[in-house]
């Protein structure tokens, strides 16, 4: 006999406290579910692969200050020596690094001319070692050859005639059949033709919050610049060791330049998602705090109502209630308060989400998450009420006669 | 039958030991109406609480309906209270949030009766105490005498062998007290054994058997001595 009817009647005569707790549970559920949803959304974003061999790559900035310096020769020497170094798999110069927040973007269109529907893409300038050094996966067409690589000066506006694009970009350009992109000519900078010669599976743009983050283009250009980024892939597990070695080697081999900003891709990812990580921490804190406040509220209300009903509890014991029956009374009572709370809360969660969807263009929440939230709060309620209920069950039946 | 042999009860608090019952010996037979009198602090409530299994005792033997109470754990005592004992308190101890119907329902639910049987017992017992028409009222809408009648209905609803009452008329004026006493007499006539603690010598006299507790010890009062007192 769960006494549900009797507990409900007793509750109805002391509505205020119970109602406040129910509302607190409702608020907690509504906020908790939406906060978890936002955390999950960020986690999904953060877990998207960049396409790079993240654990074995790093990059650095090589800044030349020498006058009359032969940039082309020095770059080629550097790359040659790096590629031959023990512990290094491959090395390139690149204009920008995925997720680093700095880079180039252009529009690609299927037809030449102004006002043509163009698709935005990040641009990475690499040589024929690009695909291997980045660790991206060529899934159609072919790589650049050495003959494809052309020098590009700081003032150049001319684009090379070949390009490799990501699958996402190929899909945006050719929605019906991304594989058909290989061999097609697209136009950059209004009317310069570029032939797509290959497709890579994945390579993210430098900007994680951009809707086109999966759209990137590799072009066979070697920049001639006094500030160059070298991107280096090491043998598995030797990254940290090689970072120090490379920095030392480059600094010592040529005194007319300095090596700066030696950084792993993993750290770049962390930096890139710093705000996400911080926001998730705040949201987690909010969830935990709210849940704890609610739990303490439940404990408080239960202790208050048990203290107020000491004599009644003693009387119930005198009338034959076992300790377990007393405990169960308060646990069922809490369950009923929680039921009201989570019902209001579930509606509130959906309403709050509806508002968030309309205001911030986020996705609608999944029902599963609400169900998990409801279950979690029922459990929190039962755990919170357990101690007061246990205390109530230990009230002596003699309380019925001993107190007035 | 209720049988206490050499029951001792010692309350142990931080620095005081109270010997509330000393070698308490008592046998109450089926159908008895026992009144218990004695000075304040003499141990009457302690005796009644032990008799009603609300409290445990320190030493001695206690048999209720042939069952050795000392062998029972808390849950066993709870069940025995529910099955064999009805309690009536000085302060009525009704549950203020529940109407009369549901107040009487409380012990019946602990017993596990089905809804139909509970309803029948509730109506029957509220009728027995003359309050069938007030079922939907909450305790605060009743007079003290009426509340005590509800408490008696609640105590009787489970068909207990023993009805234990600790100063059931202590909070009532003499007219209401008389009404409650008459009700108890009727109940006793119908076969329920009653043990009633009271301060009122006139009410005590109406019981078929009178005992006195003094300093934790029990003694029988004979009618003559008592009449002289009265
Ligand atoms: N829980 C307790 N802890 C300590 N001492 C107690 C406790 N309950 C009762 N006592 C003591 O036991 C003795 C007997 O108390 P009891 O309540 O049985 O007396 P009583 O005869 O019912 O008195 P009254 O007529 O005032 O109700 C008293 O000295 C009392 O102070
Ligand atoms: Mg007393």
């Amino acid at each position: 006999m769960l006494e549900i009817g009797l507990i409900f009647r007793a509750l109805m005569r002391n509505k205020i406290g119970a109602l406040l707790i129910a509302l607190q549970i409702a608020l907690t559920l509504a906020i908790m579910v939406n906060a978890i949803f936002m955390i999950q959304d960020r986690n999904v974003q953060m877990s998207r692969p960049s396409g790079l061999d993240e654990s074995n790559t790093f990059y650095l900035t090589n800044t030349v200050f020498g006058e009359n310096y032969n940039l082309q020769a020095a770059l080629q020497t550097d790359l040659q020596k790096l590629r031959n170094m023990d512990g290094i798999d491959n090395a390139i110069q690149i204009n920008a690094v995925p997720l680093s927040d700095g880079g180039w973007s252009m529009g690609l269109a299927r037809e030449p001319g102004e006002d043509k529907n163009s698709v935005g893409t990040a641009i990475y300038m690499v040589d024929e070692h690009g695909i291997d050094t980045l660790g991206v996966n060529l899934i159609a067409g072919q790589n650049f050859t050495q003959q494809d690589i052309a020098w590009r000066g700081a003032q150049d506006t001319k684009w090379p005639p070949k390009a490799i694009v990501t699958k996402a970009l190929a899909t945006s350009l050719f929605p019906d059949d991304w594989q058909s992109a290989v061999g097609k000519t697209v136009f950059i900078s209004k009317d310069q033709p570029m032939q797509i010669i290959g497709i890579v599976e994945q390579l993210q743009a430098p900007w994680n919050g951009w809707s086109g983050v999966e759209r990137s283009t590799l072009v066979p250009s070697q920049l001639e610049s006094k500030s160059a980024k070298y991107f280096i892939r090491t043998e598995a597990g030797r990254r940290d060791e090689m970072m120090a070695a490379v920095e030392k080697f480059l600094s010592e081999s040529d005194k007319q330049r300095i090596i700066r900003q030696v950084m792993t891709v993993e750290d770049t990812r962390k930096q890139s998602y710093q705000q996400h990580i911080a926001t998730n921490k705040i949201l987690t804190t909010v969830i935990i705090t709210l849940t704890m406040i609610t739990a303490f509220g439940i404990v408080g209300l239960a202790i208050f109502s048990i203290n107020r009903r000491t004599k009644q509890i003693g009387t119930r014991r005198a009338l034959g209630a076992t300790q377990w029956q007393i405990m169960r009374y308060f646990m069922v009572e809490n369950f009923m308060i929680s039921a009201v709370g989570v019902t209001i809360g579930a509606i509130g969660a959906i309403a709050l989400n509806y508002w968030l969807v309309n205001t911030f263009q986020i996705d609608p929440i999944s029902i599963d998450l609400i169900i998990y939230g409801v279950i979690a709060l029922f459990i929190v309620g039962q755990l919170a009420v357990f101690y007061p209920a246990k205390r109530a069950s230990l009230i002596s039946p003699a309380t019925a006669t001993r107190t007035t | 039958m209720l049988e206490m042999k050499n029951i001792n009860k010692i309350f142990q608090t931080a620095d005081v030991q109270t010997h509330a019952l000393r070698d308490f010996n008592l046998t109450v037979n089926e159908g008895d109406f026992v009144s218990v009198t004695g000075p304040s602090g003499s141990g009457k409530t302690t005796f009644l609480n032990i008799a009603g299994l609300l409290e445990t005792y320190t030493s001695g033997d206690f048999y209720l309906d042939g069952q050795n109470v000392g062998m029972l754990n808390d849950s066993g005592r709870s069940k025995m209270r529910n099955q064999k004992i009805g309690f009536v308190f000085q302060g009525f101890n009704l549950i203020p949030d529940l109407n009369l119907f549901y107040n009487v329902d409380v012990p019946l639910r602990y017993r596990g009766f089905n809804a139909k049987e509970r309803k029948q017992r509730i109506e029957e017992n509220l009728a027995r105490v003359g309050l069938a028409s007030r079922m939907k009222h909450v305790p605060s809408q009743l007079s003290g005498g009426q509340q005590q009648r509800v408490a008696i209905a609640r105590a009787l609803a489970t068909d207990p062998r023993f009805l234990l009452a600790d100063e059931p008329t202590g909070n009532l004026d003499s007219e209401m007290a008389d009404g409650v006493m008459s009700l108890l007499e009727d109940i006793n006539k119908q076969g329920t054994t009653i043990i009633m603690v009271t301060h009122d010598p006139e009410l005590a006299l109406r019981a078929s058997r009178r005992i006195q507790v003094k300093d934790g010890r029990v003694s029988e009062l004979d009618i003559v001595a008592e009449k002289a007192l009265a």
Side-chain angles (χ1 to χ4, degrees), chain A residues 47-124:
Chain A
S47 67
R48 291 174 307 192
S50 62
L52 304 173
D53 177 11
E54 289 190 24
S55 48
N56 298 306
T57 45
F58 70 96
Y59 59 98
L60 54 87
T61 305
N62 174 40
T63 307
V64 172
F65 54 83
E67 302 288 328
N68 305 319
Y69 190 91
N70 188 338
L71 288 168
Q72 293 193 5
L75 175 67
Q76 259 157 355
T77 312
D78 278 350
L79 290 178
Q80 195 85 58
K81 285 190 171 159
L82 286 173
R83 285 167 187 162
N84 287 334
M85 248 172 109
D86 177 44
I88 286 179
D89 263 358
N90 217 333
I92 50 166
Q93 181 199 194
I94 197 164
N95 62 316
V97 174
L99 298 180
S100 68
D101 208 33
W104 296 17
S105 77
M106 294 296 291
L108 296 186
R110 283 171 63 173
E111 285 162 53
E114 298 268 7
D115 302 331
K116 293 295 169 193
N117 277 339
S118 72
V119 178
T121 173
I123 299 288
Y124 293 114

Side-chain angles (χ1 to χ4, degrees), chain A residues 398 401-402, chain B residues 9-13 16-21 37-49 55 90 166-167 197 199 213 216:
Chain A
T401 50
R402 292 292 184 192
Chain B
K9 174 68 178 180
I10 299 169
F11 288 108
Q12 183 76 57
T13 50
V16 225
Q17 251 197 10
T18 311
H19 213 138
L21 295 184
T37 51
S40 185
S42 59
K44 303 182 294 296
T45 296
T46 306
F47 153 65
L48 208 66
N49 279 357
E55 246 164 61
Q90 179 174 358
D166 194 354
E167 298 184 33
V197 170
H199 273 125
V213 180

Side-chain angles (χ1 to χ4, degrees), chain B residues 140-155:
Chain B
S140 60
Q141 294 168 320
L142 303 183
S143 73
Q146 287 170 325
Q147 290 190 45
Q148 196 59 299
R149 286 167 177 275
V150 177
I152 291 168
R154 180 177 67 182

